[in-house]
Amino acid sequence: MHELGIVFYIIRDVKQAAKENGVEHVSAVVMNIGEVSTIVPEYLTDCWRWAADKEDMLRGCELKIETVPAVTHCDNCSSDYPTVKHGKTCPHCGSTRTWLLSGREVEIKQIEVKT
Amino acid sequence: MRLNKNTIFVTLMDEVKVIEIKKSIFENNDRDADLLRAELKSRGVYLLNLMSAPGSGKTTTLIQTINRLKDKIRIAVMEADIDSDVDAVKIKSATGIPSIQLHTGGMCHLDAEMTRQGLDNTPLDDVDLVILENVGNLVCPAEFDTGAVRNAMILSVPEGHDKPLKYPLMFSVCDVVVINKMDVMPYFDFDLDKCKEYIKMRNPKATVIPVCAKTGEGIDAFADWLLGQVREWKK
Ligand SMILES: Nc1nc2c(ncn2[C@@H]2O[C@H](COP(=O)(O)OP(=O)(O)O)[C@@H](O)[C@H]2O)c(=O)[nH]1
Ligand SMILES: [Mg+2]
Ligand SMILES: [Zn+2]
């Protein structure tokens, strides 16, 4: 499953960041997930619970998800518009010379540590 | 890029310490893939990443292509299909070329690290071209750079000509799109011109090659493209 694979990458990067910051236990991880990243947030948190609890450093650690809206830019008329609503075709001028500005993010925003 | 100390800001909020990271989970993989590509360049080995939905005809196309190229260049195959060594056995018996089975551990894609492990088990000094048959899936493999020189994908006629609209990322990362199963065109309302138009919307530079892997029709064009790629890479 896609989300489980993603969870393993998150765990690897979080453990590395924790180590570099001398952190022993992480209480929460905040993710930026793009609207068109193909990741289903509920699956991601389910997989996270299962995998994170197997790691001492991440036992009980919460995965918080913040959604990044998908925005497309039109090269023809230089406008930005919401991707999910209008897709590849610019709603202002009808051009398809458009490209995704944001919305594909799968990014670790921050980790939180109880002091 | 290794996580760099000065990109981390520590702030105190009540009794919770927040450490900002701002790091894409694809970043490590992108770096590993670039490294792998540079190494392959210096060793004169071309890696092709072949992707498609399950059953589009990756294995059949590979067999036809290898049989046209195996007297001209030295080829090895890495199989990452979930339905395990069935394909590896098929390739070996139909072409005489050995193939290595990669274990993805249930993962839906291969990343650069797994590809490197596969290549470590390939006699790279005796090979000009390695073809990777990726996991049958149109979503996840598109997101992970394997370190291949080029990505190719196969779209078969029964899947429909609007697939480039449904899987935009996959089509935007592929330099070649092979349209397979041309023999069944009469039974489907597949519009080849529309399909080409949709592919160009995703990637204006993509080469589109219609083939019938079953009979071998059109495979010469794909084999020629690949041979040209390998020769250019080894210069
Ligand atoms: N009619 C037709 N069937 C094909 C063609 N190419 C492959 N197939 C069949 O499609 C099925 C899946 O092919 P395979 O190469 O195993 O697909 P893979 O899963 O992508 O490796 C097999 O039954 C093939 O015989 C073709 O050009 N025409
Ligand atoms: Mg196969
Ligand atoms: Zn516009």
Side-chain angles (χ1 to χ4, degrees):
Chain A
M1 188 210 272
H2 186 48
E3 281 75 7
L4 184 57
I6 299 289
V7 158
F8 289 130
Y9 292 109
I10 301 173
I11 288 178
R12 176 197 61 192
D13 289 354
V14 167
K15 281 168 76 176
Q16 192 192 336
K19 214 176 284 167
E20 287 179 2
N21 287 277
V23 168
E24 275 169 24
H25 185 267
V26 180
S27 60
V29 172
V30 183
M31 298 292 300
N32 280 330
I33 303 287
E35 235 180 341
V36 294
S37 66
T38 74
I39 287 180
V40 182
E42 299 84 78
Y43 292 172
L44 193 68
T45 44
D46 284 354
C47 293
W48 170 262
R49 191 67 284 131
W50 178 83
D53 284 346
K54 293 191 169 24
E55 305 278 342
D56 286 339
M57 188 188 270
L58 302 174
R59 193 157 294 127
C61 174
E62 187 190 351
L63 191 74
K64 300 177 186 170
I65 294 179
E66 294 179 6
T67 304
V68 181
V71 177
T72 296
H73 179 80
C74 173
D75 273 343
N76 190 47
C77 71
S78 301
S79 60
D80 297 340
Y81 64 87
T83 311
V84 174
K85 187 154 178 224
H86 302 288
K88 177 88 185 144
T89 308
C90 175
H92 305 290
C93 73
S95 171
T96 54
R97 274 176 45 226
T98 57
W99 48 277
L100 195 65
L101 208 57
S102 69
R104 206 175 275 149
E105 295 75 5
V106 185
E107 183 183 86
I108 303 172
K109 184 187 181 195
Q110 61 192 41
I111 62 178
E112 297 173 5
V113 181
K114 286 227 167 77
T115 48
Chain B
M1 191 181 81
R2 254 185 82 77
L3 203 61
N4 171 338
K5 286 263 158 46
N6 57 26
T7 61
I8 300 175
F9 308 91
V10 179
T11 44
L12 281 167
M13 273 175 38
D14 296 333
E15 68 279 30
V16 176
K17 189 168 82 171
V18 174
I19 304 173
E20 279 194 34
I21 308 236
K22 270 272 187 193
K23 180 181 183 239
S24 165
I25 62 144
F26 302 119
E27 204 174 289
N28 278 331
N29 187 61
D30 289 348
R31 183 206 51 202
D32 291 349
D34 286 340
L35 270 173
L36 183 56
R37 233 179 332 266
E39 261 176 69
L40 290 171
K41 176 74 184 174
S42 71
R43 299 185 69 167
V45 176
Y46 187 98
L47 176 65
L48 179 77
N49 176 25
L50 182 62
M51 299 177 281
S52 85
S56 301
K58 294 184 294 300
T59 306
T60 315
T61 301
L62 276 186
I63 290 170
Q64 292 277 7
T65 308
I66 291 168
N67 281 334
R68 280 167 174 75
L69 293 178
K70 66 183 179 192
D71 295 333
K72 299 184 179 120
I73 47 173
R74 300 163 301 169
I75 306 172
V77 172
M78 296 199 292
E79 284 293 336
D81 232 354
I82 310 240
D83 51 8
S84 239
D85 69 342
V86 177
D87 283 350
V89 170
K90 231 187 258 173
I91 298 247
K92 167 91 178 135
S93 72
T95 67
I97 300 271
S99 64
I100 285 172
Q101 191 68 47
L102 293 183
H103 298 287
T104 57
M107 286 275 243
C108 47
H109 65 273
L110 280 181
D111 61 16
E113 180 59 36
M114 291 184 264
T115 305
R116 175 184 291 278
Q117 286 167 14
L119 289 171
D120 285 346
N121 292 301
T122 308
L124 290 185
D125 290 336
D126 307 317
V127 166
D128 305 306
L129 166 66
V130 179
I131 304 175
L132 168 64
E133 179 173 339
N134 211 317
V135 181
N137 182 328
L138 288 182
V139 179
C140 323
E143 287 174 319
F144 290 89
D145 190 341
T146 56
V149 183
R150 288 283 182 271
N151 295 320
M153 76 157 297
I154 301 179
L155 167 63
S156 64
V157 167
E159 295 167 64
H161 59 257
D162 56 356
K163 226 157 191 188
L165 300 180
K166 295 177 186 159
Y167 299 91
L169 185 60
M170 174 55 81
F171 286 85
S172 68
V173 301
C174 284
D175 302 277
V176 170
V177 180
V178 173
I179 315 271
N180 188 30
K181 309 195 186 179
M182 288 300 285
D183 56 313
V184 301
M185 275 285 252
Y187 310 103
F188 294 88
D189 51 1
F190 188 96
D191 186 332
L192 186 58
D193 290 332
K194 268 255 147 39
C195 188
K196 284 181 179 166
E197 185 191 319
Y198 294 155
I199 293 168
K200 300 281 171 184
M201 268 166 68
R202 299 310 177 198
N203 179 5
K205 288 193 222 99
T207 305
V208 180
I209 306 177
V211 306
C212 172
K214 194 177 161 185
T215 61
E217 222 183 313
I219 296 285
D220 281 341
F222 180 59
D224 288 348
W225 172 83
L226 193 50
L227 187 61
Q229 285 280 315
V230 174
R231 296 212 160 127
E232 188 60 35
W233 183 248
K234 288 179 81 79
K235 266 182 194 160

